[in-house]
Amino acid sequence: MPQGDKRRLKPFTYVVEGVWPHAVLDDHHGARVAQEVAARVRRLMDDNGWSVSEVSRRSGVSRMTVTQVLEGAVWCDLLTIANLEKALEADLWPGREPGNPPQ
């Protein structure tokens, strides 16, 4: 199946075993990136004691979108990731900088 066709499915649909975002995924690089972004957002929210509403307020990203990112229900666009990174004061994209490897 070409990658373009796989984009029609949501990231969480590539779970082979376990629960998103800590599940084992099949071999779809984009889904793995989405999984890592979701896991990092959740970890940072937990570290800061922030709710979805607080992240939404600080980032300007709608509560629905933040929730969908956390659930693996959407493919994040770059503006969403940039706004979340600014609000959370952390890199979300895996492997972008030294010390920020994909998990």
Side-chain angles (χ1 to χ4, degrees):
M1 175 184 292
Q3 284 297 104
D5 291 341
K6 283 189 171 187
R7 187 179 172 96
R8 287 182 296 126
L9 301 175
K10 297 175 181 184
F12 73 79
T13 62
Y14 295 96
V15 169
V16 174
E17 180 182 321
V19 179
W20 183 272
H22 305 290
V24 175
L25 303 182
D26 79 358
D27 190 29
H28 186 280
H29 181 71
R32 290 182 181 179
V33 170
Q35 178 186 41
E36 186 62 29
V37 168
R40 289 175 187 213
V41 169
R42 172 53 68 193
R43 186 171 52 251
L44 290 162
M45 286 174 60
D46 291 347
D47 290 351
N48 288 309
W50 292 352
S51 65
V52 168
S53 293
E54 183 65 15
V55 172
S56 175
R57 185 186 69 75
R58 290 174 179 262
S59 67
V61 175
S62 74
R63 286 188 326 260
M64 177 179 279
T65 299
V66 174
T67 298
Q68 290 176 326
V69 167
L70 292 169
E71 294 174 349
V74 295
W75 298 102
C76 269
D77 63 32
L78 292 175
L79 184 57
T80 298
I81 292 172
N83 288 338
L84 290 171
E85 285 183 333
K86 184 174 181 185
L88 294 164
E89 298 179 348
D91 290 327
L92 298 176
W93 195 267
R96 188 173 71 183
E97 293 186 3
N100 186 20
Q103 303 275 323

